[in-house]
Amino acid sequence: MLTGMKITEAVDGLRQKKFSAEELTKAHVNAINKLNDRINAYITVTADAAIEQAKAADQKLAAGDAPALTGIPLAIKDLFCTKGVKTTAASRILENFVPPYESTVTANLLRDGAVFLGKVNLDEFAMGSGNLNSAFGAVENPWKRQGEDTFLVPGGSSGGSAAAVAAQMAMGATGTDTGGSIRQPAAYCGITGIKPTYGRCSRWGIIAYASSLDQAGPMGKSVEDCAIMLQSMAGFDPKDSTSVDKEVPDYRAACNRSLKGMKVGIPMEYRVPGLSPEIEAVWQQGINWLKEAGCEIVDVSLPHTKHGLATYYIIAPAEASSNLARYDGVRYGRRVDGASLDELYANTRGAGFGDEVKRRILMGTYVLSAGYYDAYYLRAQKVRKLINQDFMNVFDKVDVLLTPTAPTAAFAKGENQEDPVQMYLNDIFTVPASMAGVPGLALPAGLSSQGLPLGLQLLGRPFGEETLFAVGSAMEKAANFTHKPTLRAGGSL
Amino acid sequence: MSYMIEGSTGAWEVVIGLEVHAQVISKAKLFSGASAHFGADPNTHVSLVDAAFPGMLPVLNRECVDQAIRTGLGLNAKINLMSRFDRKNYFYADLPQGYQISQFEFPIVGEGSIEIELEDGSVKNIGITRLHLEQDAGKSIHDLTPKDTVVDLNRSGVALMEIVSEPDMRSPEEAGAYLRKIRAIVRYLGTCDGNMEEGSMRADVNVSVRKPGEDYRTRCELKNINSIRYVMQAIEIEAKRHIEIYENGGEVDQETRLFDVARGETRTMRSKENAHDYRYFPDPDLLPLIVEQSHVDHLKSTLAELPDDKRNRFQSEYGLPRYDANVLVAEQDVANFFEKVAKNRDGRMASNWVTGELFAVLNKQGLTIHESPISADALGSLLDLIADNTINGKIAKEVFEDMVETGDMPGDIVERKGLKQVTDTGAIEKVIAEILAANPDKIAQYKSGKDKLFGFFVGQVMKEMQGKANPAIVNDLLKKQLS
């Protein structure tokens, strides 16, 4: 099965001429054709362009000058602007927007030979934890509870990315992570994803949600696949003033590093009340694996963790309220006319934005308003500094932190939906690292009693991605997570 | 005597503070690579960043930062080595991002002060509160089609410096002098072209009135005035409006107002209740702006000569009176013209010719110094002809008029018209003898004490010689003959 392979295997197979790039891409296009009506992972499928790219890849492979990702079919989160290809942010307001430019991250992937299968679903403007806030409909998690056919969410906001990879409708996918949007869906869909250090990947051409937190990263079937993808995606970009001018190390090589003498911190604040016993058990299992791999386990404290979520839900909406002001119906995107300019704004934005986006714009506008700024935004910025300081303090003592990725396994559509705050709690373990800008890798570590994947998260020092890949690879070997979701290419559907 | 407005309850003092928006001279915009050139076809200088396309990010143009620092140095102000860009959020059709990137809390330039000079010769210091960098918005045009508003984004994202003064001015004259001084400084430094009619320099004027000795009363802000004359008019009109309100027992509301030039009145644009809540916060797309002191020092060492420094130098180097030096330095091009004329010549004479004869011609013909019909070199050679006694001052004026008309060089004119000064004592003595012979009665009067007649004899001699005689020699010889 071509769709069942990892990128590492496909890279070798293409070079050994076991199959062509065209065959590989067509296999994935077939999987999309078969599964997308049900899973709804893709908003836009660019099958014809993908096959053309694959043919070009075959020529490069034949000529022997093929860069790392040549012929590897990927799914692109529909938050990355792609030249000439509709880019919607899963919003009505951009439903027909076709950018005349290519985001830096996707341009890097194209430079390295990747094939783009299409644009995948997400929570509108990356706001959500269940991919339920998409103007193009919810995405179904390919995983099923044992003996049930309940519609489970893939997590969010990169839900389409995670579902596409899990269901083998793409070999890998790009995601973006603002408060956990790569890591949480990776956990819910039993795949691997890394949110790199803030500044590692350029944000240029990625539709902004919360600029000081947004960071692109890869989602894939293995740690090494993520390493290969990040190698291509990362790098300094003068067009993004917050991108960092630092050489990109050899991430794939880092996957084989020894863990001898490495110190792993276990933050006690992550043992939150209500943590599922199954998650706790997987966490303990992860600790044991790392001990066996030669790591020293150290209990550490990140005392301001409990303020992370509240802080996030001030800073992210504040930035979003400003970032989304440009969607006004004047220059591009959807416009709903009105008798006055103000009415045009109100009509356009009223019709163009979904409820969650409106909610966050309102929250953000509120916390920045005169009289509330000091109490909310300014205070949140101070707490953010403290959270960052927590991480810097523990990284004086340990090399990496091990935590759960999400407090539960994937939940069903309909659950958690009444109370937005309950939904926000999904990000409780992922948000602090976003606030601190440190990298986080999520990988599957086991199954729940209902047969759903459970993930663990590794957090590293700023620009400590190599350590995450090294520790992640070791855990991946120990976990030997080979389970497959019900809905997948070659599956029973 | 200071400026006061007489009301029915006595004299009122006017308090004025100015916010000057000066468009930075730079090739590219503040945060995009698009051209910042003025006057192109609509929407031809617009990058994806300026039009706020999704995912576009600002990248700071360091040349604009240097221009702001240079201006700050010209305002004798503190340069802040750490400053920050904030977002000022509001919706408008010509503001594509839905926010303006500005510097709210931490401006690049802090407190400074400049000197202004008033008509009566007095000098006053005006405090500068701050200077910050910000983006300009685009332009909404409401009258191009009957129903729609059209938007030109060429100016969207162009760098502006907002220069905020302390409320230190007390009269329209002071406000005018302040604006002229700011304009001279930015023009000297090459940081803004100062062309108010093109909108590259605009002023928001804060006006309040008070009885002498009182605290400040409520001020109103008059937005976006684009000429110095209008600023001065608007201040007087607005101050009188305040006085009338107070004297009728009312209170002035703090608000933003527009100055209607045609009607000669100001009217409400936005009341305080409708004031925007701009929701400023640090722009997360940009890092704090850090400037090295060594870089500031470098800019300082390469700074163009400022108007005050040039005036001082003109006084000491060319021996000019302060007033004359001030007139010459008010515009850099005039100062440069003058220096070209004055170089290696008599500075006072050069100054007199430039501010006298030349200015008269320029004013009469409505020309700028650039369009002067007489080049600095030509005026210089005219001065040389006077200095080497080829012609005298009186003839020089005649030559000058010819130069204006024909554009010929003064030497050629002197040649053509035979205006060369006569210094041959023999020739002059001959004429003197004739004049004296013809006026025995006048000689008698002179000798009996009517000294003033000496001028008559000089005049007669000069007349006889068509003005070409060297006046000094004529004087000498006449004195001898008459003694």
Side-chain angles (χ1 to χ4, degrees), chain A residues 297-331:
Chain A
I297 306 297
V298 185
D299 284 324
V300 296
S301 170
L302 298 163
H304 298 92
T305 299
K306 61 177 176 291
H307 302 301
L309 212 54
T311 310
Y312 174 84
Y313 277 101
I314 290 168
I315 289 172
E319 294 180 6
S321 71
S322 176
N323 283 336
L324 270 59
R326 65 187 56 200
Y327 307 109
D328 56 7
V330 173
R331 297 167 312 284

Side-chain angles (χ1 to χ4, degrees), chain A residues 97 101 203-207 211 238-242 322-323 325-327 331-332 341 345 365 368-370 373 377, chain B residues 48 51-59 87 89 91-93 96-99 153 277 279-282 284-287:
Chain A
F97 177 65
Y101 47 92
R203 292 185 296 112
W204 192 88
I206 300 173
I207 295 175
S211 311
K239 291 188 287 189
D240 174 3
S241 310
T242 62
S322 176
N323 283 336
R326 65 187 56 200
Y327 307 109
R331 297 167 312 284
Y332 52 78
L341 184 62
Y345 290 148
T365 304
L368 289 176
S369 297
Y373 180 87
Y377 185 80
Chain B
L48 295 165
F53 268 60
M56 292 299 98
L57 297 172
V59 176
R87 291 187 185 175
N89 294 283
F91 283 98
Y92 203 63
Q97 295 167 131
Y99 54 85
L153 294 180
D277 179 354
R279 292 172 283 121
Y280 283 100
F281 76 107
D285 286 332
L286 294 159
L287 302 175

Side-chain angles (χ1 to χ4, degrees), chain B residues 317-320 338 341-353 383-384 387:
Chain B
E317 207 174 307
Y318 298 107
L320 303 185
F338 160 76
V341 177
K343 199 159 169 80
N344 299 321
R345 298 192 179 99
D346 180 335
R348 286 192 79 142
M349 195 158 146
S351 164
N352 289 339
W353 275 89
L383 264 54
D384 289 341

Side-chain angles (χ1 to χ4, degrees), chain A residues 144-272:
Chain A
K144 295 287 161 198
R145 287 177 185 149
Q146 245 157 33
E148 281 184 25
D149 194 27
T150 312
F151 187 115
L152 301 179
V153 304
S157 65
S158 310
S161 305
V165 173
Q168 302 177 359
M169 297 157 80
M171 301 207 80
T174 62
T176 64
D177 189 315
T178 305
S181 280
I182 286 175
R183 293 162 285 160
Q184 184 255 20
Y188 280 14
C189 291
I191 65 164
T192 303
I194 180 168
K195 178 200 90 76
T197 310
Y198 183 78
R200 181 74 286 186
C201 290
S202 168
R203 292 185 296 112
W204 192 88
I206 300 173
I207 295 175
Y209 159 25
S211 311
S212 74
L213 298 157
D214 294 343
Q215 185 58 205
M219 302 172 79
K221 295 176 188 171
S222 71
V223 173
E224 207 173 351
D225 279 9
C226 287
I228 293 171
M229 287 178 67
L230 183 60
Q231 190 81 42
S232 173
M233 294 163 71
F236 173 62
D237 179 5
K239 291 188 287 189
D240 174 3
S241 310
T242 62
S243 116
V244 177
D245 192 358
K246 205 171 161 59
E247 209 173 312
V248 182
D250 186 342
Y251 290 135
R252 199 171 172 188
C255 294
N256 299 315
R257 271 192 207 167
S258 155
L259 307 191
K260 279 272 174 309
M262 204 170 272
K263 289 185 179 162
V264 178
I266 309 300
M268 56 196 224
E269 288 79 8
Y270 283 57
R271 294 188 192 281
V272 292

Side-chain angles (χ1 to χ4, degrees), chain B residues 270-304:
Chain B
R270 267 198 308 270
S271 65
K272 200 182 174 188
E273 298 81 66
N274 293 326
H276 288 302
D277 179 354
Y278 289 119
R279 292 172 283 121
Y280 283 100
F281 76 107
D283 192 325
D285 286 332
L286 294 159
L287 302 175
L289 172 54
I290 308 293
V291 179
E292 300 289 335
Q293 183 60 49
S294 59
H295 184 62
V296 177
D297 294 343
H298 167 73
L299 292 175
K300 194 168 189 171
S301 69
T302 54
L303 207 63

Side-chain angles (χ1 to χ4, degrees), chain B residues 13-17 167-171 205-210 215-217 219 235 239:
Chain B
E13 185 180 49
V14 185
V15 177
I16 305 150
D168 286 349
M169 285 155 276
R170 295 290 176 271
S171 69
V205 187
N206 285 288
V207 180
S208 65
V209 299
R210 65 176 174 184
D215 279 344
Y216 294 135
R217 295 199 186 197
R219 66 189 153 88
I235 290 168

